[in-house]
Amino acid sequence: MDFLGFSIHFPITDPTWIFFLVLLIILFAPLLMGKLRIPHIVGMILAGILIGKDGLNILAYDDSFELFGKVGMYYIVFLAGLELDMDDFKKNRLKGIVFGLLTFAIPMIIGFIVNHSLLHYGLMSSVLLASIYASNTLITYPIISRYGLSRERSSSISIAGTIVAVLFALIILAVISGTYKLGNQSSWFWVLLLINVFVLTALISFFMPRLCRWFFRRYDDAVMQFVFVLSMVFLGAALMQIVGMEGILGAFLAGLVLNRFVPHVSPLMSRLEFVGNALFIPYFLIGVGMIIDIKSLFVGGFALYVAAVMTIVAMIVKWIPCYITQKIFRLQNVERKVLFGMTNAHAAAALATVMVGHGIVMANGERLLDDNVLNGTIVMILVTCIISSMITERAARQIVTQQQLSADSVNHEQEIFLIPVSNPDNIEGLMEMALTLRSSKEKAPLVALSVINDNNASEVKERISKRNLELAAKLGAAVNATVKTVLRYDMNIAQGIIHTLKENSATDVVIGLHRKEKLMDSFLGSLTERLLEETQRQVMIAKLLMPVNTLRRIVVAVPEKAEYEAGFVKWIIQLCRMARQLGCRIRFFATKSTTVLIQNIVERKDGGQFAEFSELEDWDDLLLLTGQVSYDHLFVVVSSRSGSISYKSSFEKLPQQLSKYFANNSLLIIYPDQFASPQDIVSFANPIIRKPVSITLYDKIVDRFSKLTKKED
């Protein structure tokens, strides 16, 4: 074709034009599908059909689609493992395993009967085709992720079920393909295969976390970390292929291993999601559409019959396990829709199975899975992906709407974190600390502050302050968190922090631990001490010796009577939130009476899976915790201001103890809020109290404990 003097030949083979057209599809397909209210995923597949060889023949399915398509396929399952809430997964593992066994066994049984009786395929062909029904691809996972529902119970059950179903389906594929490849020598093939898979899984689970921890502690460059993570994904996939399994299983395993090293709210996670959703995953979806041959269905009646039977059976046998699981575990209707929406789509595993089966030629000269099954699989992929995407989209919107209505019915105080930044070496650590303590649903901006003393103001200090604020803003933007930067001139730095705290209605201050430069300097420093004296808001003082995402455990020392402080509930919820974000365990050391209340709060906030509790009989026994805190642990000390209910004279020795016995540990010292609604605190913390406690009664309790404290001191 000649156009304005230029010769255009289809299909286009020039790499520049191929990549340009693919980017146009990635750009405009979601816009068009959004107006038609069709999920974006479906738009990508339909676009692939349109431009493929059996459509307008604009592009050929060349090596670039093979490469990027495989990367996208790995990326989908990798992100599923990476974003999986491991604590919620452990909590729902029984439901997930049961659902996985059901969503594998039911399709295998019903599928085999249908394939053998209605489609008249042989034994091996019927089993392999049934495994296609049993497997599924988390192709609708980007929808769940986009709505922020990747940590919902139904999502965790769906992912767990997919793991079980795909694992067994891939084992069947490996055994059948190995049988035909090795002939009579394959009697022990499946035994060796299982041994190889288990050994490889154990090796990856043991060595990869240690390699990740070593790398992240020594290299903080964003590009290096991103490339390292990708290399781990393909290492896992390549090793799994070596032992005879599909690479998607290795990619998912790599996602599970890297889960605790890439917090859900972190710049690295944002980069991984951005690159995958912007390029690799769309490339994979377009490639799936390009191999669909719609014309072949209308050449012969039997091809259309096979496609119809496969599509109908594939959807029915995936809906039945969802319904049974809902009834067994009493799930909501919308959760059943999520289960069906996430597990009904067939793509990666189905394509891998049908391509392997189509490539096997039996002794009679026929293919194990013939052309009719190949075309029927493609139609099944198209239909199930469209239906799954629509169902998942509607279910996700329904869940989000319900959550918003529930959130609106409860009035919570908005969390606003103030982060004073002065030392560029600890800005990243403080920002990561604030982001892990902060609720991921919080829309209020973080406030990054740099204060310049009027007496020592200079252009150099102003330039340094602006650079620090810019770094803080970049770190926030990397995780889609709004950061308000404030450059302030004041008579002294402490006063500047206090004024900014009040002007922005900040609820929490996260500040770095003072660096002792002079012999007469105190442990906290005069700035922090004045800040504690002049504000009643929660102040958290951090000293981080390693990146936050490489911490393996949080150890919390809680003083006696801490439950009578106004900010008691708040810091417990925030620390549990941090442990969940980092995927690490948290251990509280407190008195018996305080431990009971902490346990109740943790359980009510759904944190019982990762929390542990030990008794700390006396605060003077704090040094006994030196044996409980390792180098890669975060030691949290809950302190209090002088004159508060939980304050003890032994707190005066705390700075000396921390600097001497915990010098090689990452520290977080918390000074809780000194004002809140006591009525809310008591009713929340104590499950025995069935009705609100009056403020007067609470004041009497406080006065009584204050008198007792003075007598003890």
Side-chain angles (χ1 to χ4, degrees):
M1 178 186 296
D2 293 330
F3 180 73
L4 297 179
F6 294 96
S7 179
I8 303 177
H9 300 281
F10 295 108
I12 296 173
T13 57
D14 183 83
T16 305
W17 283 103
I18 291 175
F19 202 72
F20 171 70
L21 290 174
V22 170
L23 291 178
L24 284 183
I25 294 172
I26 296 173
L27 176 63
F28 288 107
L31 298 177
L32 179 60
M33 293 299 106
K35 291 184 178 181
L36 299 176
R37 295 190 176 182
I38 298 176
H40 302 166
I41 292 174
V42 178
M44 298 294 178
I45 297 176
L46 293 177
I49 296 175
L50 185 64
I51 67 172
K53 65 177 182 178
D54 298 304
L56 299 179
N57 196 29
I58 297 175
L59 297 179
Y61 191 83
D62 59 6
D63 292 340
S64 67
F65 287 98
E66 183 73 25
L67 174 62
F68 282 96
K70 179 156 285 191
V71 174
M73 182 172 62
Y74 291 161
Y75 225 100
I76 289 176
V77 294
F78 165 66
L79 287 179
L82 193 65
E83 294 187 351
L84 181 65
D85 188 340
M86 295 305 295
D87 293 300
D88 191 52
F89 177 77
K90 293 175 183 176
K91 178 183 175 183
N92 296 301
R93 63 180 177 271
L94 176 61
K95 300 182 181 69
I97 293 173
V98 171
F99 176 63
L101 293 175
L102 289 173
T103 199
F104 171 76
I106 292 176
M108 284 297 300
I109 295 171
I110 297 178
F112 175 78
I113 295 173
V114 170
N115 298 334
H116 197 61
S117 59
L118 295 182
L119 300 181
H120 306 292
Y121 284 115
L123 177 64
M124 285 296 189
S125 298
S126 297
V127 172
L128 191 59
L129 182 52
S131 71
I132 294 179
Y133 304 147
S135 67
N136 63 272
T137 303
L138 294 169
I139 204 166
T140 59
Y141 184 81
I143 297 175
I144 292 294
S145 180
R146 188 172 74 247
Y147 280 96
L149 302 178
S150 57
R151 297 177 176 237
E152 289 293 313
R153 177 175 63 174
S154 54
S155 301
S156 299
I157 296 174
S158 300
I159 294 172
T162 299
I163 298 170
V164 175
V166 171
L167 177 61
F168 283 114
L170 293 178
I171 289 175
I172 289 177
L173 172 62
V175 171
I176 292 178
S177 62
T179 300
Y180 280 97
K181 289 178 181 178
L182 302 178
N184 296 329
Q185 300 177 4
S186 61
S187 57
W188 291 96
F189 176 82
W190 64 277
V191 176
L192 295 175
L193 176 68
L194 289 176
I195 293 174
N196 289 336
V197 170
F198 284 125
V199 170
L200 178 60
T201 301
L203 291 175
I204 291 177
S205 302
F206 181 80
F207 287 107
M208 195 174 285
R210 286 160 176 76
L211 179 61
C212 293
R213 190 175 293 113
W214 173 85
F215 186 89
F216 285 128
R217 284 178 182 172
R218 284 162 177 77
Y219 304 100
D220 57 0
D221 181 76
V223 176
M224 291 180 65
Q225 289 186 349
F226 178 82
V227 174
F228 172 78
V229 170
L230 282 188
S231 65
M232 292 297 101
V233 175
F234 284 91
L235 175 62
L239 291 176
M240 199 60 70
Q241 285 182 334
I242 289 176
V243 299
M245 296 295 289
E246 284 297 318
I248 56 176
L249 192 61
F252 182 80
L253 182 60
L256 292 178
V257 170
L258 289 165
N259 184 286
R260 67 156 332 286
F261 298 102
V262 186
H264 186 68
V265 181
S266 66
L268 181 56
M269 174 64 85
S270 296
R271 296 184 191 104
L272 290 168
E273 289 180 336
F274 173 79
V275 173
N277 294 326
L279 186 61
F280 294 140
I281 295 176
Y283 231 112
F284 165 66
L285 297 174
I286 294 171
V288 170
M290 291 179 68
I291 64 175
I292 296 177
D293 184 7
I294 298 294
K295 298 176 183 176
S296 64
L297 296 174
F298 304 99
V299 174
F302 188 69
L304 190 60
Y305 171 71
V306 171
V309 170
M310 289 181 62
T311 304
I312 294 172
V313 171
M315 290 190 292
I316 291 176
V317 297
K318 282 298 183 181
W319 184 86
I320 294 174
C322 299
Y323 181 79
I324 296 175
T325 303
Q326 179 198 5
K327 295 303 179 183
I328 293 175
F329 298 109
R330 299 178 181 179
L331 304 180
Q332 299 177 5
N333 289 335
V334 68
E335 291 181 301
R336 185 194 67 222
K337 293 178 183 177
V338 172
L339 293 180
F340 181 65
M342 292 186 68
T343 59
N344 179 53
H346 297 74
L351 281 174
T353 302
V354 75
M355 294 306 293
V356 172
H358 188 264
I360 295 175
V361 179
M362 297 183 289
N364 58 6
E366 296 180 357
R367 295 183 181 275
L368 186 61
L369 297 179
D370 58 21
D371 292 340
N372 293 325
V373 175
L374 176 61
N375 293 327
T377 302
I378 299 303
V379 174
M380 180 191 69
I381 289 173
L382 176 62
V383 175
T384 56
C385 287
I386 292 175
I387 293 177
S388 296
S389 299
M390 290 181 174
I391 292 175
T392 306
E393 185 93 20
R394 291 178 181 177
R397 288 181 180 177
Q398 186 177 345
I399 293 175
V400 170
T401 302
Q402 291 175 354
Q403 290 178 346
Q404 289 176 345
L405 292 174
S406 176
D408 292 340
S409 63
V410 182
N411 185 22
H412 294 290
E413 182 184 34
Q414 193 176 42
E415 288 183 335
I416 301 178
F417 281 80
L418 174 65
I419 305 101
V421 294
S422 58
N423 182 5
D425 294 335
N426 63 10
I427 293 176
E428 185 171 357
L430 294 178
M431 289 293 295
E432 289 180 353
M433 180 71 70
L435 288 168
T436 53
L437 291 167
R438 174 178 179 258
S439 173
S440 58
K441 298 179 181 179
E442 187 63 68
K443 300 301 181 183
L446 298 167
V447 181
L449 169 67
S450 183
V451 182
I452 300 177
N453 194 319
D454 276 336
N455 299 324
N456 300 320
S458 66
E459 291 185 4
V460 175
K461 289 191 174 182
E462 182 178 343
R463 198 181 308 118
I464 294 174
S465 297
K466 288 182 178 179
R467 191 185 307 134
N468 292 340
L469 292 173
E470 183 180 354
L471 174 59
K474 286 181 179 179
L475 292 170
V479 294
N480 296 321
T482 305
V483 178
K484 179 182 179 182
T485 57
V486 179
L487 177 60
R488 187 186 190 96
Y489 290 87
D490 215 308
M491 292 298 296
N492 59 72
I493 296 176
Q495 202 65 37
I497 296 174
I498 294 167
H499 287 162
T500 308
L501 178 75
K502 294 178 180 178
E503 291 167 359
N504 292 274
S505 301
T507 58
D508 302 82
V509 180
V510 181
I511 193 170
L513 181 63
H514 163 73
R515 287 188 175 182
K516 192 171 182 179
E517 297 177 352
K518 300 178 182 179
L519 185 62
M520 300 302 294
D521 284 353
S522 62
F523 178 74
L524 297 178
S526 58
L527 187 155
T528 305
E529 290 175 348
R530 184 172 178 183
L531 182 63
L532 292 171
E533 291 175 1
E534 299 192 21
T535 179
Q536 301 300 307
R537 277 300 191 182
Q538 179 167 278
V539 177
M540 289 172 277
I541 307 161
K543 183 191 78 171
L544 297 172
L545 302 182
M546 64 183 65
V548 174
N549 63 316
T550 61
L551 295 169
R552 290 199 306 115
R553 184 180 289 267
I554 301 174
V555 179
V556 188
V558 185
E560 187 181 4
K561 303 188 185 75
E563 63 269 29
Y564 295 101
E565 300 291 349
F568 178 68
V569 176
K570 178 180 176 179
W571 61 257
I572 294 176
I573 293 175
Q574 289 177 337
L575 289 179
C576 289
R577 189 184 295 150
M578 182 181 185
R580 178 183 284 271
Q581 291 278 7
L582 299 179
C584 64
R585 304 197 68 80
I586 182 170
R587 188 173 184 180
F588 294 92
F589 287 86
T591 59
K592 287 184 178 179
S593 58
T594 305
T595 298
V596 172
L597 297 177
I598 295 175
Q599 281 181 312
N600 180 51
I601 295 170
V602 171
E603 289 173 1
R604 290 187 62 180
K605 298 307 293 182
D606 222 10
Q609 300 80 36
F610 50 84
E612 300 171 348
F613 305 91
S614 298
E615 186 177 351
L616 183 65
E617 296 180 357
D618 196 319
W619 187 255
D620 293 331
D621 296 335
L622 185 67
L623 297 183
L624 296 177
L625 299 185
T626 53
Q628 302 291 333
V629 185
S630 300
Y631 175 74
D632 52 2
H633 293 177
L634 176 65
F635 185 40
V636 180
V637 178
V638 181
S639 186
S640 62
R641 296 168 174 85
S642 178
S644 60
I645 301 172
S646 62
Y647 183 80
K648 299 183 67 174
S649 58
S650 56
F651 281 178
E652 296 176 4
K653 298 184 294 183
L654 183 61
Q656 180 184 358
Q657 293 173 336
L658 293 177
S659 59
K660 184 176 181 180
Y661 298 103
F662 298 93
N664 296 322
N665 299 109
S666 296
L667 298 174
L668 182 66
I669 308 171
I670 299 178
Y671 288 85
D673 277 332
Q674 290 300 300
F675 67 89
S677 170
Q679 183 175 348
D680 292 340
I681 296 167
V682 176
S683 61
F684 187 97
N686 197 340
I688 300 174
I689 299 175
R690 299 298 180 188
K691 58 183 180 179
V693 179
S694 66
I695 302 298
T696 304
L697 176 59
Y698 183 84
D699 288 339
K700 290 180 180 179
I701 295 173
V702 171
D703 290 338
R704 178 60 178 163
F705 271 104
S706 298
K707 292 177 181 178
L708 289 174
T709 305
K710 290 180 180 178
K711 289 180 180 179
E712 290 176 0
D713 291 342

